[in-house]
């Protein structure tokens, strides 16, 4: 529910021509009757409150067609060229972020776009051990520039993984060199 709230807050910023309901904490508290009360039928205890599906209540509060379009415009996940499904992290007043191993974006020329092509996703590029190596919204610029330094260091640290000289035109992979060359 918190992630959905963050997506709606971002959508209101990035797609202001749509009529997004106010979902900041204060507005949600002020409008409890409109969005939460219908989901409290049969709730008679604090324990019963835990069974209330806040995400479902917020989606209903969005109303049709926004509750359908938010998934298209601000998806929760992005499918990488390797086929892996990576979650997109949303935060109000911040850029959307995907954390992904660097090898999984080989062959990509640019960061993914969301919000009807208005927002470029920040890529937190990770080492094979899932440690951050680089944060960028300009993948082409990274491949052409800072990648060379990362490549030098990573070739020594992770020799079993591919570190191509031309990552922008290399096949994305989740495999090691030995598995890749089969």
């Amino acid at each position: 529910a918190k992630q959905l709230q963050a997506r709606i807050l971002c959508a209101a910023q990035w797609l202001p021509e749509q009529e997004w309901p106010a979902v900041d904490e204060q507005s949600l508290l002020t409008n409890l009757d409109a969005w939460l009360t219908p989901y409290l039928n049969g709730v008679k205890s604090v324990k019963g409150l835990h069974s209330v599906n806040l995400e479902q209540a917020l989606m209903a509060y969005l109303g049709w067609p926004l509750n359908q379009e938010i998934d298209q415009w601000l998806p929760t996940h992005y499918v990488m060229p390797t086929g892996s499904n990576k979650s997109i992290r949303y935060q109000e007043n911040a850029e959307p972020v995907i954390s992904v191993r660097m090898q999984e974006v080989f062959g990509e020329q640019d960061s993914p776009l969301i919000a009807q092509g208005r927002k470029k996703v920040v890529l937190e590029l990770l080492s094979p051990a899932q440690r951050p190596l680089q944060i960028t919204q300009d993948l082409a610029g990274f491949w052409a520039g800072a990648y060379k330094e990362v490549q030098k260091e990573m070739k020594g640290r992770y020799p079993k993984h591919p570190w191509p000289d031309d990552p922008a035109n290399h096949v994305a992979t989740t495999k090691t060199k030995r598995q890749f060359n089969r």
Side-chain angles (χ1 to χ4, degrees):
K2 281 285 196 193
Q3 189 58 216
L4 175 58
Q5 179 189 23
R7 285 171 59 214
I8 297 168
L9 290 167
C10 289
Q13 285 180 331
W14 303 336
L15 302 165
E17 70 280 3
Q18 304 298 325
E19 293 188 30
W20 301 99
V23 294
D24 57 278
E25 299 289 329
Q26 189 56 52
S27 296
L28 288 176
L29 288 171
T30 302
N31 297 312
L32 282 172
D33 285 344
W35 72 276
L36 188 58
T37 300
Y39 289 83
L40 297 178
N41 284 343
V43 175
K44 295 178 176 27
S45 67
V46 173
K47 187 177 180 183
L49 280 175
H50 291 291
S51 66
V52 175
N53 188 331
L54 295 176
E55 187 175 359
Q56 189 177 34
L58 281 173
M59 285 298 263
Y61 187 50
L62 267 182
W64 191 87
L66 289 179
N67 61 7
Q68 302 297 306
E69 291 167 332
I70 193 166
D71 288 334
Q72 179 184 342
W73 296 337
L74 277 75
T76 58
H77 290 78
Y78 180 79
V79 178
M80 302 311 296
T82 57
S84 63
N85 217 5
K86 298 295 180 182
S87 65
I88 302 174
R89 296 189 311 274
Y90 294 93
Q91 206 173 351
E92 187 180 16
N93 299 317
E95 300 300 312
V97 178
I98 295 174
S99 295
V100 60
R101 282 184 305 221
M102 190 175 294
Q103 286 81 4
E104 292 195 60
V105 292
F106 287 163
E108 292 294 286
Q109 303 300 318
D110 211 350
S111 296
L113 293 172
I114 59 166
Q116 298 179 336
R118 298 178 195 178
K119 272 290 170 188
K120 209 181 256 198
V121 177
V122 172
L123 294 174
E124 179 185 40
L125 301 174
L126 308 174
S127 73
Q130 304 285 333
R131 292 194 180 89
L133 294 174
Q134 182 76 26
I135 296 174
T136 185
Q137 256 183 331
D138 178 14
L139 200 53
F142 171 66
W143 292 145
Y147 171 75
K148 294 292 179 209
E149 289 301 313
V150 172
Q151 178 193 33
K152 267 191 248 176
E153 185 181 336
M154 292 297 109
K155 268 187 171 180
R157 191 174 292 171
Y158 300 102
K160 292 180 181 179
H161 294 270
W163 300 101
D165 290 331
D166 184 8
N169 294 304
H170 193 275
V171 176
T173 184
T174 58
K175 299 175 175 11
T176 61
K177 280 194 249 181
R178 188 175 49 164
Q179 294 168 315
F180 190 71
N181 291 327
R182 282 186 185 167

